[in-house]
Amino acid sequence: MKDLRLYNTLNRRIEDFTSIVPQKVGMYICGPTVYGPPHLGHVRGPIVFDVFRRLLMQQGYQVRFVRNITDVGHLVGDADEGEDKLQKQARLEQIEPMEVAQTYTDAYNWAMDALNVLRPSIEPKASGHIIEQIEMIQSIIDANLAYQVNGSVYFDVEAYQKEHHYGTLSGRVLDDLIAGSASRELEGQSEKRSAHDFALWKHALPEHIMQWSSPWGKGFPGWHIECSAMSAKYLGLEFDIHGGGMDLLFPHHECEIAQSTAAHKHNPARYWMHHNMITINGQKMAKSLNNGIQVSALFNGDHHLLSRGFGPNTLRFFVLQAHYRSTLDFSEVALEGSEKGLKRLLESFKKLESIVPEKESNVDIEAVEKAIDAALSDDLNTPIAIAQFFELAKFINLAIDKKAALNVQDLEKISNLITVYFQGILGLQTEVEAHSDILDEVMDILITLRSEAKTDKNYALSDAIRNRLKEKGVELMDSKEGTTWKHN
Ligand SMILES: [Zn+2]
């Protein structure tokens, strides 16, 4: 295996990766705020970091992979104002905030399982780590880098700036931030000393459901402090890799660095990895544009931008066909392209066993292996690795047509590359997925056959079709308009 190199946002360059403890890696990835169903915006990060984790494991590292669940403290405004996202959803659905959290944590994990993303080693919840967050806030107060006001605690960015550098990750300059925030300050954020100070703890009004006792009165933690407190608890004060989307780079990750530096005298992570965003038909995903697509809709096609569903393996392949630091534009046409390409690969893999080995190979499989390995080790270049699998597919097809020769060792090598890299590291399945329109067509055939059997008074057959489908969880429903079906 080649030595691993990755782009470190902290230093804005590609660096050699070395772990703090030999053969062990601690990774922290910012997880979802669980107040709604998982959507397209949720899929890229988990898939990218899953491949990275699998690559590390393949290279012999023991990986502790921590991905949190944000179930408190993330406010509607994404900053220090507005209602808690979960509490708002709980009010809308008329259920408990923790029911909201459980419902959408389950939904998120369902989507991750479908996408073949390995479950985290630890999946800590913000609400389960209030004590750790309070302790960390206290350390920041003790360092004179936070202040209390009206039962809330804010991080004092200007005091921090005297000895440290706020903006080390994002490259933002505090003076510019101050200038940029002047107008917001006028909008009633006067409780803070400066508009760019951020909440570590927020005072809760009596009607706020999720609140806890603290040295500063009843309240709830700010959004940024949870990741700092939980990563320190499970990975130590300094760990190897912190990852997340580019949208979290500022302020979330910048604030994490400031908090950890204030409390623990350490930037928490040596390498900061950020994946780029997914756009939809060239546009940003936004509620106002009504272009968000739930993961379930991606699978079943129930969305105005889709004419049918696509399988999770196709979606995973689509994500990995782009480098994680490039933007990825989603469209039905692009997904169809991925589906076709993937099918072409998988069909060629299937032919591998029917190739009769020749004495000598006349193609260079080792070069392909080296290229795949080099691509993945070079800042996780999955598109180049995938391109090499198309090269393999070409060799297989040529060998089938007797236009290329492969010996036993090379056939084994190809098979091994598929198992170790394609399935093991890229996490792709080798079975071609039936997509929902094929299922629709098959069901139409069965429904027609049953109706013909009924017309012929062959009730034994028509009942058998209904009953045997029922055994598979498919229910037929007859009405005046004809027969429809549903899968339970
Ligand atoms: Zn986070």
Side-chain angles (χ1 to χ4, degrees):
M1 282 276 184
K2 288 229 0 154
D3 285 344
L4 189 56
R5 289 164 62 73
L6 54 91
Y7 184 85
N8 189 354
T9 312
L10 196 59
N11 301 323
R12 293 170 194 82
R13 60 166 188 242
I14 292 184
E15 299 177 347
D16 290 333
F17 174 76
T18 42
S19 58
I20 297 168
V21 180
Q23 297 308 301
K24 288 192 178 184
V25 171
M27 262 181 105
Y28 186 94
I29 307 299
C30 291
T33 302
V34 283
Y35 69 105
H39 57 76
L40 182 60
H42 284 123
V43 309
R44 192 175 191 186
I47 292 173
V48 164
F49 292 116
D50 184 55
V51 173
F52 190 62
R53 175 191 188 181
R54 287 164 180 261
L55 178 67
L56 288 166
M57 285 158 60
Q58 175 59 29
Q59 296 198 347
Y61 289 101
Q62 189 187 334
V63 184
R64 182 179 291 168
F65 187 97
V66 182
R67 190 181 65 216
N68 69 299
I69 295 286
T70 299
D71 57 356
V72 67
H74 197 166
L75 305 183
V76 170
D78 281 333
D80 296 335
E81 300 304 321
E83 197 174 0
D84 183 287
K85 289 189 177 190
L86 270 99
Q87 179 148 322
K88 182 180 174 196
Q89 194 60 29
R91 187 165 49 74
L92 294 174
E93 294 189 32
Q94 297 193 316
I95 54 176
E96 280 286 315
M98 281 301 129
E99 279 182 280
V100 173
Q102 190 65 54
T103 302
Y104 296 118
T105 300
D106 290 348
Y108 181 79
N109 282 326
W110 163 81
M112 293 302 115
D113 288 348
L115 292 165
N116 201 22
V117 170
L118 299 174
R119 293 265 176 126
S121 324
I122 304 174
E123 191 179 48
K125 291 180 178 175
S127 66
H129 297 79
I130 301 293
I131 291 169
E132 288 82 354
Q133 295 178 74
I134 289 175
E135 284 173 358
M136 190 163 177
I137 295 167
Q138 190 59 56
S139 306
I140 301 173
I141 294 175
D142 294 345
N144 292 319
L145 294 173
Y147 56 90
Q148 294 176 55
V149 48
N150 302 329
S152 294
V153 181
Y154 294 99
F155 191 93
D156 191 336
V157 173
E158 275 178 49
Y160 177 80
Q161 186 71 2
K162 288 191 183 119
E163 281 185 44
H164 309 280
H165 172 44
Y166 183 77
T168 178
L169 184 69
S170 61
R172 298 195 190 203
V173 179
L174 190 59
D175 288 343
D176 297 345
L177 289 172
I178 293 169
S181 58
S183 57
R184 267 190 292 149
E185 214 156 1
L186 298 173
E187 290 168 19
Q189 295 191 1
S190 53
E191 187 176 277
K192 298 188 211 174
R193 288 182 192 162
S194 297
H196 47 265
D197 291 351
F198 55 91
L200 299 170
W201 186 264
K202 287 285 280 184
H203 167 71
L205 296 168
E207 62 268 25
H208 196 100
I209 300 170
M210 290 187 289
Q211 53 175 288
W212 291 264
S213 295
S214 80
W216 319 289
K218 294 229 171 191
F220 56 93
W223 173 35
H224 312 305
I225 194 77
E226 61 167 294
C227 288
S228 295
M230 295 190 292
S231 62
K233 182 177 171 88
Y234 296 112
L235 296 170
L237 302 189
E238 194 188 20
F239 54 93
D240 297 297
I241 300 162
H242 193 312
M246 274 185 186
D247 54 339
L248 295 181
L249 207 157
F250 189 89
H252 185 57
H253 290 162
E254 197 73 77
C255 294
E256 278 190 49
I257 291 178
Q259 290 166 161
S260 294
T261 306
H264 305 140
K265 318 272 179 274
H266 262 297
N267 180 322
R270 285 200 179 173
Y271 301 89
W272 287 79
M273 285 178 79
H274 292 93
H275 67 85
N276 214 321
M277 301 288 108
I278 292 188
T279 52
I280 297 188
N281 294 319
Q283 285 185 307
K284 250 182 97 166
M285 257 182 277
K287 276 215 168 87
S288 56
L289 296 170
N290 189 28
N291 61 1
I293 304 180
Q294 291 182 14
V295 174
S296 57
L298 292 167
F299 296 163
N300 65 26
D302 186 14
H303 191 274
H304 66 273
L305 293 174
L306 296 172
S307 62
R308 62 175 173 89
F310 291 85
N313 202 35
T314 299
L315 195 59
R316 186 167 173 123
F317 185 73
F318 167 73
V319 166
L320 296 178
Q321 276 185 300
H323 188 255
Y324 75 93
R325 286 192 290 117
S326 312
T327 53
L328 174 60
D329 190 41
F330 176 93
S331 65
E332 179 154 16
V333 175
L335 263 190
E336 278 169 357
S338 293
E339 190 182 59
K340 263 190 209 138
L342 180 61
K343 201 170 165 210
R344 202 146 47 87
L345 275 185
L346 301 188
E347 282 172 352
S348 71
F349 293 172
K350 285 234 172 340
K351 294 182 209 156
L352 192 60
E353 279 180 21
S354 54
I355 295 175
V356 183
E358 301 285 341
K359 238 182 157 159
E360 297 289 336
S361 284
N362 60 7
V363 287
D364 192 353
I365 300 302
E366 207 172 304
V368 175
E369 178 170 8
K370 276 190 183 151
I372 293 174
D373 188 29
L376 291 174
S377 301
D378 181 20
D379 196 27
L380 207 65
N381 202 326
T382 54
I384 289 189
I386 286 173
Q388 289 302 318
F389 278 102
F390 279 105
E391 197 67 10
L392 278 186
K394 195 178 80 187
F395 292 155
I396 293 170
N397 291 332
L398 284 172
I400 290 282
D401 296 342
K402 303 275 179 211
K403 287 176 186 153
L406 288 161
N407 63 16
V408 174
Q409 290 82 359
D410 276 347
L411 285 171
E412 251 171 45
K413 255 185 212 161
I414 295 177
S415 168
N416 195 46
L417 284 174
I418 294 169
T419 311
V420 174
Y421 288 88
F422 195 82
Q423 295 179 297
I425 297 178
L426 296 176
L428 293 161
Q429 320 272 6
T430 49
E431 285 303 313
V432 178
E433 288 173 321
H435 46 66
S436 55
D437 62 341
I438 287 182
L439 187 58
D440 279 341
E441 286 166 25
V442 171
M443 284 306 298
D444 281 348
I445 294 171
L446 284 170
I447 287 168
T448 309
L449 285 174
R450 174 169 166 266
S451 143
E452 285 170 8
K454 271 183 168 175
T455 312
D456 296 343
K457 299 207 175 6
N458 185 349
Y459 298 115
L461 180 59
S462 66
D463 287 349
I465 292 173
R466 164 191 284 278
N467 293 337
R468 292 184 64 179
L469 283 172
K470 200 168 184 184
E471 283 167 21
K472 294 283 168 208
V474 176
E475 197 181 328
L476 297 180
M477 293 161 295
D478 296 314
S479 71
K480 269 185 233 157
E481 287 76 36
T483 305
T484 55
W485 62 277
K486 69 171 183 192
H487 187 253
N488 295 318

